[in-house]
Amino acid sequence: METEKEDNLRFVIIGAGMAGILSAIKLEEAGLHNVTLYEKAERLGGTWRENTYPGIACDVPSHLYSYSFAPNPEWSHQYSPGVEIQRYFEDVASQFGIGDRIRFGEEIERCEFVDSRWKLRTRAGRRDEADFIIAATGVLHHPNNPEIEGLEDFDGALFHSARWDHDVPLDGKKIGVIGTGSTGVQITSALADRAQKFSLFQRTAQWVMPQENPAYSEAEKKEFREHPEQLRILHQAISKLFAASFANAIVDADSDLMKEIEAQCLLNLEQSVSDPGLRERLRPNYRAACKRLVISPDFYEAIQKPRVELVTDGIRSVEPGGVRTVDGGFHELDVLVMATGFRADRFMRPMEIIGRTGKRLDEVWADRPSAYLSISIPDLPNFFMLNGPNGPVGNFSLIEVAELQFKYILQLVDQVRAGECRSLSASDVATQVFDRERVEAAKKTIWSTGCRSWYLDDRGIPATWPWTFDRFREAMSEPDLAAYDFFFT
Ligand code: NAP
């Protein structure tokens, strides 16, 4: 039975994006009301607040990329645009009444585990304490800004795709985009008709899976509104289908389905790009889905438009008026966008995190980030991550991932509530065994088949969940408490 103290366990959630909002709602539901959510920005939404580039949408079906407990009959499309997703998170936060838990504009700078509690400090110097920390700080949020000679001399507007400057006019301008990941491709489709000239700088060609994006009719939305149970069934059906198909295929590079996916992408390239020279420049020389599969119904159409050019000569330097390529060619530009991705190994950092032995997270992660089941780090008691290192991050619904992880975390919290310990964290041994098995299993995955991507760690080993999604679901269903160190003081 819970005592008054146990009921009053204090939680700090860091980050008011998808996972932080989820945590606040689920803690409340579990009867844990002493919760503060710190958010460094002035608005919630995480990725969807930060990424506002033209064409942004989620390539996970909207009815799957929704909380299971908050289905949304209003999604406009099968794959809805970013602005709708941002609104969805704002609506859910308000519907579940968690707004007053959030401290906006307060960035946690330091967390130290002292005397069985976490002592926190914000950048502004505010101090707080907590029994538990939920790090919901996201994966892809530190822009990767490559050093290119002369970048600082560029006279036009220059920004990263995740820092879009909406004051910069685009219509009739000469726009350059560096990078052909999911972001660069979406921007290309959105701006191909608006620019006077659009230059896409491609270092590596991408496999592109064609995917139509039908709008939901008013009749369909009305049906969803009147029969919300249909949305739940739809959510479960897409999730099941996904787990049984794509999720299984990517962890088995030799699977028939993986070959089928590649064949579909190849057919898309052959049928959609008419100019043989352009087609060859767009043809990847590695396996489909080795990099994150790009999903687009119209990228090939956009890249063939008269005002669009695909630049495959390497970038030599940026000059005040544009980009110089290694062949000596010059591409005049008014706007240059770095769609160059993110530093995927940062997670909660630059926060300073000091565990029970006095060791800093930066030391623990000196080689690379790792965590037991992507959730817990040895000697960081009662500190749990959502979408931490080595989790399922490839073309999955991270909402579903976070929901499963949170259910697991709540069971760890229950150990403390039940008085089984004061705090707990994964043991060193369990973490090492998990890492060893993960690295071994990663060899079979599609990410290991020879390409460069943000999935790979500094050794070139995929830093992702290398097993099936069903195995992840199973691992999250109940913690193996033998894998945890229990602390009593
Ligand atoms: P990304 O997939 O990491 O792609 C970065 C691009 O920049 C690559 O084409 C890369 O080329 C290029 N690049 C990096 N440094 C460069 C340099 N110095 N010179 C030239 N090119 C350079 O980044 P992203 O497109 O922002 O996507 C990141 C992830 O965000 C995605 O994988 C996905 O998980 C997520 N995302 C999802 C959606 C969605 O619809 N759900 C949309 C956007 C993003 P190389 O390939 O040669 O390295």
Side-chain angles (χ1 to χ4, degrees):
M1 215 172 105
E2 292 158 22
T3 65
E4 197 181 320
K5 181 184 172 302
E6 281 149 7
D7 247 355
N8 205 33
L9 288 169
R10 176 154 174 72
F11 288 78
V12 160
I13 302 166
I14 308 177
M18 170 279 288
I21 296 166
L22 165 77
S23 307
I25 293 171
K26 289 289 162 188
L27 287 173
E28 184 73 29
E29 231 176 67
L32 295 157
H33 308 296
N34 190 353
V35 177
T36 298
L37 207 165
Y38 284 91
E39 168 53 56
K40 66 179 179 337
E42 296 298 337
R43 198 176 170 199
L44 58 78
T47 291
W48 304 102
R49 177 196 66 233
E50 288 188 356
N51 286 276
T52 58
Y53 59 79
I56 184 167
C58 184
D59 59 13
V60 175
S62 297
H63 286 294
L64 179 61
Y65 196 80
S66 312
Y67 297 115
S68 60
F69 54 87
N72 176 21
E74 311 303 331
W75 290 124
S76 66
H77 286 77
Q78 198 168 336
Y79 301 87
S80 299
V83 66
E84 261 181 63
I85 302 171
Q86 170 68 19
R87 199 180 321 128
Y88 170 74
F89 287 123
E90 288 176 343
D91 287 350
V92 171
S94 128
Q95 186 190 334
F96 285 82
I98 60 147
D100 61 351
R101 298 272 151 89
I102 310 178
R103 285 188 198 277
F104 287 107
E106 297 215 41
E107 181 174 354
I108 299 289
E109 190 177 62
R110 190 173 196 276
C111 310
E112 183 172 8
F113 194 73
V114 187
D115 298 335
S116 296
R117 285 202 108 197
W118 285 99
K119 311 270 189 288
L120 298 103
R121 194 181 71 212
T122 68
R123 188 169 286 281
R126 178 200 286 274
R127 287 174 196 277
D128 201 347
E129 289 193 20
D131 298 292
F132 288 89
I133 293 182
I134 309 292
T137 50
V139 188
L140 299 175
H141 56 109
H142 292 278
N144 170 41
N145 286 306
E147 282 175 20
I148 300 174
E149 192 191 317
L151 209 52
E152 61 288 351
D153 300 328
F154 185 58
D155 272 345
L158 168 72
F159 45 82
H160 188 273
S161 55
R163 301 285 181 271
W164 198 275
D165 183 345
H166 290 276
D167 291 335
V168 172
L170 300 169
D171 294 298
K173 300 292 176 193
K174 299 184 207 69
I175 303 170
V177 171
I178 300 178
T180 51
S182 305
T183 302
V185 161
Q186 287 181 339
I187 297 172
T188 303
S189 296
L191 296 186
D193 285 327
R194 291 178 59 187
Q196 182 201 116
K197 189 183 137 220
F198 186 93
S199 309
L200 180 64
F201 296 90
Q202 169 188 288
R203 185 165 69 178
T204 312
Q206 285 278 6
W207 287 106
V208 181
M209 173 65 91
Q211 177 68 61
E212 291 310 316
N213 186 15
Y216 285 108
S217 66
E218 275 315 309
E220 283 171 310
K221 289 192 227 170
K222 182 166 177 280
E223 182 73 11
F224 287 147
R225 253 175 245 135
E226 288 169 2
H227 303 282
E229 70 283 358
Q230 281 193 12
L231 286 178
R232 273 184 201 100
I233 293 168
L234 190 59
H235 186 283
Q236 281 165 11
I238 309 172
S239 163
K240 231 174 157 175
L241 181 72
F242 189 75
S245 55
F246 187 76
N248 281 350
I250 49 179
V251 294
D252 181 2
D254 297 326
S255 61
D256 289 345
L257 186 57
M258 208 60 259
K259 289 174 193 148
E260 169 63 20
I261 287 169
E262 190 159 307
Q264 282 179 38
C265 294
L266 189 58
L267 191 66
N268 185 29
L269 175 68
E270 303 291 356
Q271 290 187 338
S272 311
V273 183
S274 50
D275 175 64
L278 179 63
R279 198 188 308 137
E280 288 321 301
R281 292 196 296 139
L282 286 166
R283 190 186 299 277
N285 59 1
Y286 56 89
R287 302 270 317 265
C290 179
K291 289 172 181 287
R292 189 182 200 270
L293 196 58
V294 168
I295 294 173
S296 172
D298 52 11
F299 170 66
Y300 287 145
E301 188 189 326
I303 202 72
Q304 294 176 88
K305 291 193 170 172
R307 285 180 285 177
V308 177
E309 63 169 350
L310 178 74
V311 183
T312 48
D313 293 304
I315 296 171
R316 178 194 292 161
S317 60
V318 174
E319 298 180 10
V323 166
R324 177 81 58 194
T325 43
V326 287
D327 61 329
F330 186 67
H331 305 268
E332 203 183 324
L333 299 173
D334 304 308
V335 181
L336 178 56
V337 179
M338 312 294 278
T340 43
F342 300 85
R343 295 188 60 189
D345 64 342
R346 298 280 84 200
F347 296 97
M348 304 80 81
R349 296 179 284 182
M351 240 187 281
E352 187 182 16
I353 299 168
I354 304 166
R356 59 178 281 280
T357 61
K359 220 170 170 184
R360 286 173 159 66
L361 182 66
D362 263 340
E363 295 170 58
V364 180
W365 281 1
D367 292 333
R368 64 198 65 87
S370 79
Y372 175 65
L373 292 178
S374 120
I375 283 179
S376 175
I377 300 168
D379 291 321
L380 296 193
N382 290 359
F383 184 107
F384 303 121
M385 286 176 287
L386 291 169
N387 289 312
N390 318 132
V393 287
N395 294 80
F396 288 98
S397 164
L398 286 191
I399 300 190
E400 193 177 9
V401 170
E403 283 194 35
L404 291 166
Q405 289 175 328
F406 202 79
K407 270 191 199 147
Y408 176 101
I409 291 170
L410 267 184
Q411 295 177 66
L412 298 177
V413 171
D414 280 345
Q415 291 296 308
V416 178
R417 291 178 95 183
E420 297 296 333
C421 59
R422 182 122 189 233
S423 63
L424 71 170
S425 56
S427 72
D428 249 328
V429 173
T431 307
Q432 282 169 25
V433 170
F434 170 72
D435 253 342
R436 253 200 320 271
E437 291 176 355
R438 177 182 70 71
V439 165
E440 188 53 35
K443 290 179 189 159
K444 267 192 79 185
T445 65
I446 193 71
W447 307 300
S448 287
T449 53
C451 69
R452 170 178 46 203
S453 80
W454 64 264
Y455 293 137
L456 304 179
D457 68 18
D458 58 309
R459 303 165 294 179
I461 294 172
T464 51
W465 182 261
W467 299 288
T468 64
F469 201 74
D470 285 335
R471 177 159 167 177
F472 177 72
R473 216 187 284 278
E474 173 66 26
M476 290 298 101
S477 63
E478 192 182 342
D480 169 11
L481 294 174
Y484 283 81
D485 289 331
F486 282 47
F487 305 107
F488 301 94
T489 53

